[in-house]
Structure formats: C-alpha cells, structure tokens
Amino acid sequence: MNEIIANLSVKQLAGMIDHTFLKPFGTAENIEKLCAEARKYEFAMVAINPAEVETCVKLLEGSPVRVGAAIGFPLGQTTTECKAFETRDAIAKGATEIDTVINVRALQKGCLDIVKKEIEEMVAICRPAGVICKVILETCYLSDTEKETVCRIAKEAGVDFVKTSTGFGTAGATVEDVALMRRVVGPEIGVKAAGGIRDLDTALAMIKAGATRIGTSSGVTIVEAYKSAIK
C-alpha cells in the first residue's frame, strides 16, 4: 500500500470516490448530509436513486460534485425500454452520471442481444448529453466468463466505466474482479469498485488492482484515514 500512499494526494483520492446513499429508506437530512459531505470533501459525485436527483442538483448547486442516478436499481430486471426512460428522465432532471444495472438473468440465459441493446441505448442517450455512463455487472452472480463478456460488450459500446456491484447483492467488489475487469477493458475505460468498501485498506487495494472510482457510503471515513496515514 505504501507506493499508492506516496503517489496519491488526499484530493486525488477524494476525487475518485462516489459518495452513496441508495437505501430504500431515510430522511431528508440523510440526503442533505450526503451532499454537504460531498461538497466539503470534493468527492467525484453523489450516487442516489433517481427520485433524489432534483434535490441533489439543488443542494450541490455551484459545486463541482456531479449527481449520479442509479438506473434499473438494484435488480436490473426492468425492460430495456424502462431503463432508457429512466435514463432520459434522470438526465432531464439534472443527473450528470448514470449507473445502470445489467439484466443479469438475460445474460445467464444467453440472451446477449438484450444486454447489448440496453448498454448501447444507455450510451446513445448519455453521450450526446455529456453524461458519464457506467455499467453495473453485479459480479457476485456471474462467472468469470460472463464478467468478461459484459466487459467486452461495454467496451465495444463505448461506456465510460464498468462497475462491479450494486452493494445489494450477496457480495460486493473483490480485488480479483477489479483486476479481471481492468484486464478486459484495458486502460481507456474506467473501472468502478463498489460494494463492501468501508475502510482505507480495502479502497487502496481496489485502486492498486485497477479501480479508478470507488463507490462507498464510507467516503468520509476513508479520506480521514488517508489524511492520517500520509502525515
């Protein structure tokens, strides 16, 4: 870990974090706190459910922090048309990043045309709008071959990031999955590690494996620990 600590500033680490609040419950204060922390630490973005997009846009006005909407979340089991509508609606309401869960069951049934179509449509909607798009694999349910297949489809479609997990599956990000995804997509596309990243050591291990974004609700804890570690 020492090599990463030596070459990564606190600001750079914070700028790799997607600060999340994706629970199905919570108060207005939870979202206000999320945005206030994101503004203070200059995280890359806040990751929220689409219903909170307009609120977060207002709370982050004048800040460089981006607003990210989770689409087809967390199961990915809506139709391609529904995901496309959700994406357009979130962007219309101010979202500047989109994280979409693939249809895992379609993938496992061998219906790659469905997976390909939903990814291509996301890119087609996001790219003209200048919106960053990420594909969530939900790696805990997939074989290595399936992970590689989705990463290849995503790369060919022109996504900005491939992402490990929703955080709602049976497991989250692993170093092995991040390394696999990085190997398949190469250096041009981002890899986002998400799910179960709650401390500095885990975050740095993901970065060392090839992650360029970290999705976590523990961003403040991670950055504060990093500040202490590099003193």
Side-chain angles (χ1 to χ4, degrees):
M1 300 301 177
N2 291 334
E3 181 182 348
I4 294 176
I5 289 175
N7 294 316
L8 191 68
S9 70
V10 172
K11 184 174 183 178
Q12 286 172 323
L13 176 61
M16 297 173 74
I17 291 174
D18 288 356
H19 198 36
T20 68
F21 191 88
L22 292 160
K23 297 175 181 178
F25 57 86
T27 65
E29 287 74 25
N30 292 133
I31 297 299
E32 290 167 4
K33 182 172 181 283
L34 180 82
C35 291
E37 290 173 344
R39 184 187 288 270
K40 176 182 177 181
Y41 286 88
E42 296 186 350
F43 293 135
M45 66 101 150
V46 292
I48 40 83
N49 290 300
E52 301 287 2
V53 167
E54 288 181 299
T55 299
C56 290
V57 168
K58 291 175 184 175
L59 290 170
L60 289 166
E61 187 175 2
S63 163
V65 179
R66 300 168 70 89
V67 175
I71 303 299
F73 200 84
L75 302 179
Q77 295 304 306
T78 52
T79 64
T80 300
E81 292 77 12
C82 285
K83 289 177 182 177
F85 177 86
E86 263 196 291
T87 300
R88 291 190 185 96
D89 185 59
I91 292 172
K93 289 177 168 57
T96 50
E97 300 203 7
I98 295 291
D99 291 33
T100 299
V101 189
I102 65 160
N103 187 329
V104 171
R105 288 170 64 185
L107 173 68
Q108 292 173 331
K109 288 189 294 184
C111 299
L112 298 185
D113 55 326
I114 293 176
V115 179
K116 189 171 185 283
K117 183 180 178 184
E118 63 184 8
I119 293 174
E120 287 177 343
E121 288 205 6
M122 176 185 66
V123 174
I125 295 166
C126 290
R127 188 55 55 82
V131 171
I132 291 173
C133 57
K134 310 189 193 90
V135 173
I136 307 175
L137 277 64
E138 200 66 294
T139 49
C140 62
Y141 301 129
L142 305 181
S143 67
D144 284 355
T145 299
E146 288 167 337
K147 295 166 196 171
E148 291 170 1
T149 296
V150 178
C151 285
R152 281 195 294 269
I153 291 172
K155 182 178 181 179
E156 290 171 5
V159 304
D160 295 298
F161 286 83
V162 288
K163 175 179 170 182
T164 60
S165 320
T166 62
F168 287 76
T170 55
T174 68
V175 165
E176 293 76 16
D177 282 339
V178 169
L180 179 152
M181 293 162 69
R182 172 54 68 204
R183 175 176 57 79
V184 176
V185 301
E188 297 86 9
I189 293 173
V191 175
K192 178 175 172 179
I197 303 172
R198 301 184 181 91
D199 57 54
L200 177 61
D201 285 346
T202 305
L204 293 180
M206 297 299 171
I207 294 168
K208 186 174 182 180
T212 48
R213 284 278 189 100
I214 302 293
T216 179
S217 58
S218 302
V220 172
T221 299
I222 290 168
V223 171
E224 288 297 337
Y226 196 60
K227 286 180 181 178
S228 298
I230 62 175
K231 281 182 179 178

